[in-house]
């Protein structure tokens, strides 16, 4: 799983506009991070994903988008992994 996770993260990080990627387990433990994604935020990101699942029980894995002037963070939890993708603002 570790090699598959790293490969997926590397592929995602190479997409134009992606400034960071983070993966956390179901307990909020950071499995890996690249770019501007901070390991310390893994717990909060996993918690947001769990809360979103409770808000929308019909869709068990919603995508959360947090937008700000500095860019967008997309968060999705699937199985036991939460992934956050940090995107740079469009120029």
């Amino acid at each position: 799983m570790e090699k598959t996770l790293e490969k997926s993260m590397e592929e995602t990080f190479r997409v134009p506009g992606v400034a960071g990627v983070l993966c956390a387990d179901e307990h909020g433990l950071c499995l890996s991070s690249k770019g501007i994604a901070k390991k310390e935020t893994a717990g909060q990101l996993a918690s947001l994903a769990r809360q979103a699942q409770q808000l929308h029980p019909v869709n068990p894995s919603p995508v959360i988008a947090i937008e700000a002037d500095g860019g967008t963070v997309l968060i999705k939890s699937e199985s036991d992994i939460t992934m956050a993708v940090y995107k740079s603002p469009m120029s």
Side-chain angles (χ1 to χ4, degrees), residues 2-56:
E2 194 172 308
K3 288 184 181 185
T4 305
L5 177 67
E6 284 297 324
K7 182 180 177 188
S8 295
M9 288 187 65
E10 192 62 43
E11 288 173 3
T12 303
F13 192 63
R14 281 191 231 138
V15 173
V18 172
V21 181
L22 182 140
C23 283
D25 71 5
E26 71 271 17
H27 303 292
L29 176 68
C30 182
L31 300 174
S32 184
S33 68
K34 293 190 179 297
I36 67 168
K38 295 182 181 170
K39 294 178 185 178
E40 299 82 21
T41 63
Q44 291 91 345
L45 295 168
S47 179
L48 281 170
R50 279 193 306 275
Q51 295 299 319
Q53 288 171 337
Q54 291 176 2
L55 288 172
H56 202 291

